[in-house]
Amino acid sequence: MSSTPVIEAKGLAKRYGAAVAVAGIDLSVSAGEVIGLLGPNGAGKTTSILMLLGLTEPSEGTVRILGRDPLRQPLEVKREVGYLPDSVGFYDSMTGRENLAYTGRLAGMSRDLARERIAAAFDKVRLAEAADQPVATYSRGMRQRLGIAELLMRECRVAILDEPTSGLDPQSTQELLDLIQRLSRDGMTILLSSHMLDVVQSICHRVALFNKGRIGFVGTVDELAARIGGGAFIVDVEADGIDLEKAASSTDGVKSVRSAEVGRWEVEATRDVRPDLARLIVQGGGSLRNLDLRRARLDQAYNRYFREVADAA
Amino acid sequence: MRREGSPLRGVGTVALKEAADHMTSARMHLIMLLVLLTAIGAVYGAIGQIRDTTAEDAYLFLKLFTVAREPLPSFAAFLGFLLPLVAIALGFDAINGEYNRRTMSRLLAQPIYRDAVLFGKFLGGLLVIVIALLTLWLLMTGLGILFLGLPPSGADIVRGVFWLAATLAYAGVWLALAIAFSTVIRSPATSALAALSVWLVLTVFWSMIASLLAGVVAPFDSFDPMSVLTQFEWQQAIGRFSPQTLYGEVTGLLLDPAARSVGPLFYNQLEGAVLGAPLPTLQSLLIVWPQISGLVAAMLILFTLAYVVFQRQEMRA
């Protein structure tokens, strides 16, 4: 991974009259990175994306994409940067292939080149069989894949995906994520926004947390969990004959113990406390059935982060 | 701030795609069927009328478009009434339709400027109108040749072509109006209704409104004979705010070589004139030049309005 910034935003802000949509964000994305913009609805993710693309003029701040200014050289920027909008639309009466052929012509491709690339793109997103059906018959997942096929066909170096998995069933979500991961392996720099945390966690190298028009945090998922100060370790405990909440709360390193149901607990800790827990249970006369360590999931960190922000406000 | 790259990149692509969409849409098929049926009816009526009354006439072919047989109006009057409908059908969802299908942000993310989208939409619509008009005109001419057994003269064709160009400008006004509404109003149904109300007011009620207003501005004074003329001139001036009035005057002059004026004519002005003698084509054109300029200007103003609004529009609804 090289360190040249592909996307660089400085002090980006957007105001609509008195309402502030984005209140000054700084963001730098390196080539080949997959970065996730996370945040609740209305946090300014889409507005930021539109400003990065030059589709909305920022009130303040500058953007450089691949060293170019999207406001001054929009055609060159848009040639290199693909955008998949939130719930992307296609012309329903045209087939998938015709839709892509249209964008191919808009991009100035020759007919032969476009035909070749479209066929390859359809194969890659596994839509080849539906390519000649009208888009009106496509499912939501197929439309998203068609959107990805468009980015593939245009051979974009940077892809900006706005809520690519919203409204998809789990299987389609997984397929789309695999596809995005493959794009990333092929060297595409990807910026995606989502409020579904497991999505971002599974494919993003770094995340940027949005809140009320600001970026509260940028870094890896692990850094996020550590920074937020919650336990980075979570142990699922199954045991009989002991009240773990009482017994374990005084143990060094344990931050909290929550009872999930009878005989099951979730212990949050700053280190691996499994040996201590096992000792406690056995010494307390209980019978230990299961101890399971997992790392903190992003959604827990995320929820905690926004709870903290709300508390601070 | 200066932006790089041509704003016209992609105009042709968008225009051709729009034209192809219109040509295959059920909406367009229905409305063209309506136009075709009324046009054939009008010309058929005209042919009967010409046969009955004027067996010998110098401008037989132009009469084909202007002569009416009760109860049908003439072909030209039909076009003046129905073309706006065609143009509105082509344009009322041009911009807001893209937003509603959620294709706008994807379209604008392609390497083209917004200008290309709007220009392309307008040119695509205009292209469809040109094709429809030309087809209609050839069809009517063919019907005329078939039933009257006379080929059109060169002068007839020249006048016909000028008239077609003026008709295109007239349709362009309505197309620009429809596109302007589609830019300003987010719901296609509302923008269609708005455009249709303007059409109804300007084509059906405007002549009544004009005479009413003229009566208020310049009341008739029975002791002043000139007040009749003043009132008439006021009425005409107000009437010309409607593109239909302008188009009617253009049609009247271009398709009737014997017509000499769109306004009132006095006997002293006709001194020495051979009544009924045809004007040269260019002279007829010269008389209605202001009307044609007016139509083109109206089209440009409406298009500019749509352009300014569209350029400033936020992508997020």
Side-chain angles (χ1 to χ4, degrees):
Chain A
M1 205 189 293
S2 81
S3 59
T4 42
V6 168
I7 302 175
E8 203 167 23
K10 282 198 190 115
L12 213 52
K14 180 74 184 176
R15 285 181 295 272
Y16 295 103
V20 179
V22 177
I25 58 167
D26 299 299
L27 187 66
S28 171
V29 182
S30 311
E33 226 181 348
V34 179
I35 189 159
L37 307 186
L38 267 178
N41 293 334
K45 291 173 306 206
T46 302
T47 308
S48 303
I49 286 176
L50 290 177
M51 283 194 287
L52 291 179
L53 280 162
L55 291 182
T56 289
E57 216 164 315
S59 310
E60 265 169 47
T62 56
V63 182
R64 305 295 278 179
I65 291 194
L66 299 161
R68 296 200 180 89
D69 182 347
L71 285 178
R72 277 169 194 265
Q73 299 153 295
L75 298 191
E76 275 134 86
V77 167
K78 287 197 269 186
R79 199 166 295 133
E80 304 276 8
V81 181
Y83 172 46
L84 185 63
D86 183 10
S87 59
V88 59
F90 289 92
Y91 300 107
D92 278 349
S93 58
M94 290 158 72
T95 68
R97 200 186 295 279
E98 283 165 356
N99 266 292
L100 290 203
Y102 180 45
T103 42
R105 282 199 302 277
L106 285 177
M109 274 180 221
S110 78
R111 194 179 289 255
D112 290 332
L113 179 68
R115 194 186 304 129
E116 224 169 85
R117 284 201 193 165
I118 288 169
F122 271 119
D123 280 340
K124 236 182 190 161
V125 300
R126 279 172 289 113
L127 269 181
E129 277 157 40
D132 293 310
Q133 284 167 18
V135 176
T137 65
Y138 281 27
S139 69
R140 210 182 157 99
M142 287 161 87
R143 278 167 205 256
Q144 294 291 354
R145 263 155 46 206
L146 184 59
I148 301 273
E150 185 187 307
L151 307 184
L152 280 171
M153 174 203 70
R154 287 174 50 204
E155 296 194 338
C156 302
R157 284 167 60 193
V158 180
I160 298 184
L161 318 174
D162 196 357
E163 301 278 359
T165 57
S166 75
L168 295 189
D169 61 63
Q171 198 198 340
S172 312
T173 303
Q174 199 47 50
E175 278 178 2
L176 198 73
L177 292 182
D178 290 345
L179 209 56
I180 294 173
Q181 244 165 349
R182 212 137 38 124
L183 295 183
S184 161
R185 276 200 297 275
D186 291 347
M188 212 185 257
T189 307
I190 294 168
L191 186 95
L192 68 89
S193 85
S194 183
H195 55 252
M196 291 169 72
L197 300 138
D198 41 344
V199 167
V200 172
Q201 185 172 26
S202 61
I203 63 171
C204 289
H205 302 136
R206 285 198 300 153
V207 294
L209 276 192
F210 271 71
N211 190 44
K212 294 183 182 146
R214 292 179 191 282
I215 292 184
F217 173 84
V218 188
T220 62
V221 174
D222 291 341
E223 282 169 15
L224 175 63
R227 144 101 188 249
I228 283 165
F233 295 85
I234 290 179
V235 186
D236 288 319
V237 186
E238 282 181 55
D240 287 329
I242 186 164
D243 185 0
L244 195 67
E245 265 175 90
K246 215 180 270 172
S249 50
S250 57
T251 311
D252 176 42
V254 170
K255 292 207 64 164
S256 74
V257 181
R258 246 181 310 154
S259 167
E261 53 190 272
V262 179
R264 287 185 60 169
W265 294 271
E266 205 179 77
V267 179
E268 231 180 84
T270 51
R271 59 185 180 89
D272 189 353
V273 291
R274 279 180 296 181
D276 307 72
L277 290 177
R279 204 178 314 117
L280 264 176
I281 292 165
V282 174
Q283 280 171 359
S287 53
L288 176 64
R289 282 192 285 124
N290 190 22
L291 268 180
D292 212 358
L293 176 77
R294 57 188 162 89
R295 304 301 298 267
R297 293 232 335 264
L298 184 56
D299 54 350
Q300 290 160 331
Y302 172 86
N303 286 337
R304 191 173 298 120
Y305 173 79
F306 284 113
R307 218 179 301 136
E308 275 176 18
V309 169
D311 289 346
Chain B
M1 193 192 302
R2 187 148 184 89
R3 305 191 175 201
E4 291 174 16
S6 162
L8 297 182
R9 229 187 85 91
V11 170
T13 308
V14 176
L16 285 179
K17 187 248 168 201
E18 287 301 311
D21 273 4
H22 290 316
M23 299 280 205
T24 51
S25 74
R27 180 202 304 171
M28 204 52 204
H29 289 168
L30 277 177
I31 205 151
M32 279 320 290
L33 191 71
L34 173 73
V35 171
L36 206 64
L37 287 180
T38 49
I40 289 177
V43 169
Y44 193 76
I47 289 171
Q49 187 77 7
I50 291 169
R51 270 201 187 136
D52 288 352
T53 55
T54 43
E56 302 274 326
D57 198 313
Y59 350 101
L60 216 52
F61 253 91
L62 298 176
K63 285 248 153 63
L64 214 54
F65 301 111
T66 50
V67 164
R69 177 181 227 174
E70 290 296 319
L72 287 176
S74 71
F75 177 63
F78 254 134
L79 273 194
F81 188 72
L82 285 182
L83 259 189
L85 208 59
V86 177
I88 288 170
L90 286 173
F92 77 90
D93 66 344
I95 299 300
N96 51 22
E98 294 276 352
Y99 282 109
N100 285 351
R101 275 172 298 186
R102 303 187 142 276
T103 44
M104 187 55 101
S105 48
R106 197 175 57 87
L107 185 61
L108 291 181
Q110 308 301 324
I112 54 168
Y113 276 107
R114 287 187 186 198
D115 310 47
V117 175
L118 201 67
F119 281 135
K121 295 252 169 200
F122 187 69
L123 290 180
L126 224 48
L127 184 67
V128 173
I129 293 175
V130 168
I131 294 173
L133 271 182
L134 214 59
T135 317
L136 270 180
W137 186 67
L138 289 174
L139 200 67
M140 298 307 117
T141 311
L143 276 178
I145 294 176
L146 214 63
F147 286 103
L148 292 175
L150 266 177
S153 73
D156 288 344
I157 291 179
V158 172
R159 276 177 183 272
V161 169
F162 279 130
W163 176 68
L164 273 185
T167 309
L168 188 63
Y170 173 63
V173 175
W174 293 101
L175 185 63
L177 178 87
I179 289 183
F181 274 126
S182 86
T183 315
V184 177
I185 301 173
R186 271 299 159 97
S187 142
T190 317
S191 87
L193 272 180
L196 286 175
S197 343
V198 173
W199 169 66
L200 214 62
V201 167
L202 286 186
T203 56
V204 179
F205 300 120
W206 196 249
S207 55
M208 304 175 212
I209 294 172
S211 65
L212 215 75
L213 281 180
V216 173
V217 177
F220 172 62
D221 178 358
S222 48
F223 296 106
D224 179 12
M226 279 308 280
S227 67
V228 179
L229 186 67
T230 330
Q231 191 179 25
F232 179 76
E233 277 174 344
W234 265 102
Q235 187 181 333
Q236 210 175 24
I238 296 169
R240 281 178 181 152
F241 277 99
S242 159
Q244 209 208 10
T245 313
L246 296 180
Y247 179 63
E249 291 176 355
V250 173
T251 305
L253 262 282
L254 282 183
L255 293 186
D256 183 5
R260 288 173 176 253
S261 168
V262 289
L265 261 187
F266 298 101
Y267 277 114
N268 62 349
Q269 285 175 307
L270 285 173
E271 244 177 44
V274 183
L275 273 184
L279 281 183
T281 307
L282 281 180
Q283 292 300 316
S284 294
L285 194 64
L286 219 55
I287 293 174
V288 288
W289 196 248
Q291 275 80 352
I292 295 177
S293 318
L295 286 175
V296 173
M299 175 172 90
L300 291 182
I301 288 171
L302 287 169
F303 185 78
T304 309
L305 174 78
Y307 182 82
V308 170
V309 172
F310 182 55
Q311 289 287 338
R312 290 163 180 270
Q313 221 155 37
E314 285 294 339
M315 269 317 89
R316 306 193 67 181

